[in-house]
Amino acid sequence: MADESIFIGASRNPDDSYQKPEELLLKYGNRHGLVTGATGTGKTVTLQILAESFSNAGVPVFAADVKGDLSGIAAIGEAKDFLTARAEQIKLDPYEFQEFPVIFWDLFGEKGHPIRATVSEMGPVLLSRLMNLTDAQEGIMNIAFKIADEEGLLLLDMKDLQALLSDIADRASEISSRYGNVTKPSVGAIQRTLLILDQQGGSFFFGEPALNIADLMRTTRDGRGAISILAADKLMMNPRLYATFLLWLMSELFEELPEVGDPDKPRLVFFFDEAHLLFDEAPRALVDRVEQVVRLIRSKGVGVYFVTQNPLDVPETVLAQLGNRVQHALRAYTPREQKAVKVAADTFRPNPDFDCAQVITQLGTGEALVSTLGAKGIPSMVQRTLVRPPASRLGPISDSERAKVMASSPVAGQYDKTIDRESAFEMLQKRGEEVAKAEAEAQAAEDDNNRSGWTIPGFGGEKPARTTGRPRARASNRQSVTEAAMKSVVRSVGTSVGRALVRGILGSLKRGL
C-alpha cells in the first residue's frame, strides 16, 4: 500500500493501544478533503505532513502559509524528543528527516516570486467580489468588460481598468442606449473603490508576466512533486484579496486543465487555508459557482482541501463534496460551538467504540478524528488517530534560508521583472490624442477657409458674427462626425478580437482560445 496511499497516522484502541495505520488512498486524493479544528490543535502540522506525503508520491502541491510556519517544509527536520516519541507511538519506523522541493510565491514579491494575473483573466465576477460592489456597480463592471472585449482593449493592470472606466463615464449616454443605464456617479464609486484596492496592494497582483499554471505543477528529477508555498501573512491583512486570489487560482485550474477522469493519483493538490474567508458574506450565486467548481474540478485531477477552524464555515453543498476528513479538537463553550461539534460528529461514519461528539472536545494537540475514502470510494469508519510527525522542519525558516531556496528555484527570474506592454491605458490615450488632433485639424481648416479671399456683403463668404451663446453648429457637427467615424473604426477592428474572447464558469478569461 506504500505506493498507493499516504500515511496520516495510527488509530488507537479504546485502551489507547496501537490499532492500525490510517492512510489516504492516492486514487481518491482528488475527491477533496477537509481539515478543521480550533487554534493550536495541530491543523498546520497536518497540512504539512499531507503536503510532504503528496510530494513524495509525485503530486505537486499548492498551499498558503498564513502564519509563516509552513515555510519549514523547505528545510530538513530535526530530531526532537516529542517527535521521536510520537513516531514510536504510531510505529513509524524508520522515522527519516528530509527537505522538500519548495517554490515560494508572494503577491507582494517580498517573501517569494511575484505571482500575478491580468485584470482580464480575473474577470468581472471575481473582481466585483473583490471590490465588494453593489449589484448595480457589478452590472457596470460587466458592461466594462464587454466593451473591452468588443473594442480589443487589453485589460492587464489597474491603470487599464481606471482608463476604461473614465472612458465609459465620458460615453455614458451612448453606452446607456446600448446596454442599459450607466451613470457617472456609479462609475465614480467604482473608481474610488479601485483606488482603495490599489492602496491595499491590489496593484501588486494585477499585471504581467501573469502566472503560468504549469509552474504550479512541476515535478523534480527524482519524481517528487514541487510544493508551492504562498506567503500570505501580509496578504491576510486584506482577507478579501486573499480569498478572491485563491478562488481565481482554483477557477484557472478548472478552466485550463484537461479532463483526466479518475487518475491513479491527483495531478495537483490545492490547500485552501482559512477557508471561511471564501464564504464570508459571499452571495448565493458565488457559493453555487464555487460548489460547481469543486464538484467538477475532480475530473481534472485536482484535489481541493479546505482548512478552517469550524466545519460550519463551509456551506453544506460544498461540505458534501469533501470525502477525506481530518477533525482536530473543537471547543464547545458557546451555542454555535456546540452546534459545530454536532455537525462535525454527524458527518462521520460512526464508530461503536466511542461517542464522536464527546471525543471531539477531548482530543489533544496532534490528535484527530480521521475518515478517508476506502474501497470503492466508501468513507471509512471514523478513527481516533495520532497524526504522524513531519519529516521537514517544524516551524519557519530564516530569511537567509528562504533567499537561498528562491535563488535555486526553477522559476527564478521568470516573474521578478514587471512587463508593461501596450494595453487599454495606452490605447485609450492614443485614441484621445487622435480625436483631439482630428478636431484641431478640422478647426484649423475651417478657420483657414473663413480667412481666405475678399468678401462682398450679402454675396456669401463673409465670416459669421461672433456670439456669446452656443458654439457654432458647423464646427460642432464636424467634430461629432469625425469622432463618431473614429469610434466606428475602432469598434469594427476590436469586434473581431472580441469574438474570440470567452469567459469561464467564474467569469475569468479562457486563455487557450
Side-chain angles (χ1 to χ4, degrees):
M1 291 285 289
D3 294 334
E4 300 175 1
S5 62
I6 62 178
F7 178 56
I8 298 176
S11 54
R12 317 297 289 173
N13 289 310
D15 62 359
D16 203 33
S17 61
Y18 174 89
Q19 186 179 73
K20 66 183 180 68
E22 295 299 323
E23 299 173 320
L24 191 159
L25 295 178
L26 284 171
K27 68 177 180 179
Y28 295 130
N30 65 328
R31 299 294 181 91
H32 312 316
L34 178 69
V35 180
T36 55
T39 301
T41 56
K43 296 192 303 296
T44 301
V45 175
T46 296
L47 193 163
Q48 185 170 343
I49 66 106
L50 289 174
E52 290 177 353
S53 300
F54 277 119
S55 175
N56 279 335
V59 179
V61 173
F62 180 91
D65 187 9
V66 173
K67 295 179 291 185
D69 47 6
L70 189 59
S71 61
I73 202 169
I76 193 166
E78 303 169 353
K80 295 183 179 180
D81 292 344
F82 70 94
L83 294 177
T84 54
R86 175 59 61 89
E88 291 174 1
Q89 283 181 293
I90 64 175
K91 298 185 178 181
L92 177 59
D93 187 25
Y95 176 32
E96 298 176 330
F97 298 99
Q98 64 179 121
E99 59 185 3
F100 290 83
V102 171
I103 302 175
F104 287 112
W105 303 91
D106 184 0
L107 260 68
F108 301 97
E110 297 173 356
K111 295 183 177 181
H113 304 292
I115 187 167
R116 305 182 189 88
T118 66
V119 172
S120 284
E121 288 169 349
M122 175 67 74
V125 175
L126 292 182
L127 198 57
S128 297
R129 159 70 171 159
L130 173 60
M131 298 170 64
N132 198 27
L133 301 183
T134 65
D135 290 343
Q137 292 166 352
E138 183 176 352
I140 292 175
M141 186 67 77
N142 277 278
I143 291 172
F145 274 76
K146 173 71 173 176
I147 290 172
D149 290 351
E150 286 182 346
E151 300 185 2
L153 299 172
L154 292 174
L155 299 178
L156 303 180
D157 51 29
M158 295 188 72
K159 72 177 188 299
D160 291 327
L161 185 56
Q162 280 282 21
L164 177 61
L165 291 171
S166 296
D167 183 63
I168 287 174
D170 293 339
R171 299 161 53 191
S173 298
E174 170 206 340
I175 293 171
S176 294
S177 65
R178 295 164 56 196
Y179 298 109
N181 190 32
V182 174
T183 65
K184 290 185 178 181
S186 293
V187 175
I190 298 174
Q191 289 176 305
R192 289 190 294 274
T193 305
L194 200 59
L195 178 61
I196 295 173
L197 177 61
D198 188 16
Q199 293 172 340
Q200 292 177 339
S203 58
F204 289 97
F205 175 48
F206 294 108
E208 289 188 315
L211 175 68
N212 183 351
I213 293 297
D215 285 329
L216 300 181
M217 307 184 70
R218 291 176 174 268
T219 54
T220 60
R221 293 180 180 178
D222 60 1
R224 293 184 296 167
I227 301 176
S228 291
I229 300 294
L230 175 70
D233 47 350
K234 183 176 179 179
L235 180 59
M236 285 298 294
M237 296 175 67
N238 186 345
R240 193 176 289 272
L241 177 58
Y242 167 79
T244 306
F245 162 72
L246 291 185
L247 181 55
W248 165 79
L249 188 56
M250 191 165 65
S251 69
E252 283 291 287
L253 291 168
F254 173 78
E255 300 293 352
E256 291 199 24
L257 296 180
E259 297 278 345
V260 294
D262 287 315
D264 294 334
K265 60 184 179 182
R267 297 186 63 196
L268 176 74
V269 169
F270 185 100
F271 288 97
F272 203 133
D273 202 358
E274 300 293 343
H276 66 280
L277 297 174
L278 172 60
F279 303 106
D280 283 351
E281 301 178 1
R284 181 71 245 175
L286 181 61
V287 173
D288 289 343
R289 293 190 185 190
V290 173
E291 186 269 330
Q292 188 177 7
V293 169
V294 172
R295 186 177 70 251
L296 298 178
I297 202 172
R298 187 188 82 185
S299 63
K300 306 294 184 84
V302 177
V304 180
Y305 288 69
F306 293 98
V307 184
T308 188
Q309 291 190 19
N310 194 320
L312 292 176
D313 295 336
V314 182
E316 287 186 9
T317 54
V318 177
L319 205 60
Q321 310 296 324
L322 313 180
N324 303 296
R325 304 195 178 192
V326 179
Q327 176 66 63
H328 287 276
L330 289 174
R331 313 302 177 215
Y333 302 126
T334 67
R336 186 176 188 275
E337 290 172 338
Q338 293 167 2
K339 181 181 178 182
V341 169
K342 185 179 185 305
V343 168
D346 291 345
T347 58
F348 286 113
R349 180 181 167 188
N351 188 327
D353 290 340
F354 57 84
D355 181 344
C356 194
Q358 184 178 3
V359 168
I360 286 177
T361 63
Q362 300 172 349
L363 295 170
T365 301
E367 190 178 13
L369 295 180
V370 174
S371 175
T372 59
L373 296 179
K376 299 181 180 180
I378 299 173
S380 64
M381 185 182 299
V382 63
Q383 297 290 349
R384 186 169 183 169
T385 304
L386 291 178
V387 177
R388 63 154 292 171
S392 56
R393 183 184 299 175
L394 195 60
I397 61 174
S398 65
D399 291 342
S400 60
E401 289 174 313
R402 184 187 293 268
K404 184 178 179 181
V405 172
M406 291 175 59
S408 60
S409 167
V411 299
Q414 293 186 27
Y415 297 97
D416 297 342
K417 188 176 180 180
T418 303
I419 299 174
D420 188 13
R421 61 189 174 110
E422 185 178 75
S423 50
F425 176 79
E426 290 81 11
M427 296 167 75
L428 289 171
Q429 190 176 54
K430 184 177 180 181
R431 180 195 296 182
E433 292 172 354
E434 290 175 346
V435 170
K437 181 180 179 181
E439 291 176 352
E441 291 176 350
Q443 182 65 52
E446 181 176 342
D447 291 344
D448 288 344
N449 181 60
N450 290 336
R451 286 195 298 266
S452 62
W454 293 89
T455 61
I456 300 176
F459 285 84
E462 64 268 29
K463 295 181 182 180
R466 295 194 177 191
T467 66
T468 57
R470 288 180 291 180
R472 289 167 292 182
R474 186 177 180 186
S476 175
N477 287 338
R478 290 189 178 183
Q479 290 171 18
S480 62
V481 170
T482 303
E483 183 176 2
M486 292 189 65
K487 290 180 179 178
S488 176
V489 171
V490 171
R491 289 196 195 105
S492 64
V493 172
T495 301
S496 62
V497 177
R499 290 194 191 102
L501 301 180
V502 180
R503 297 194 174 273
I505 194 169
L506 283 171
S508 55
L509 191 63
K510 291 186 177 181
R511 298 189 214 177
L513 296 176

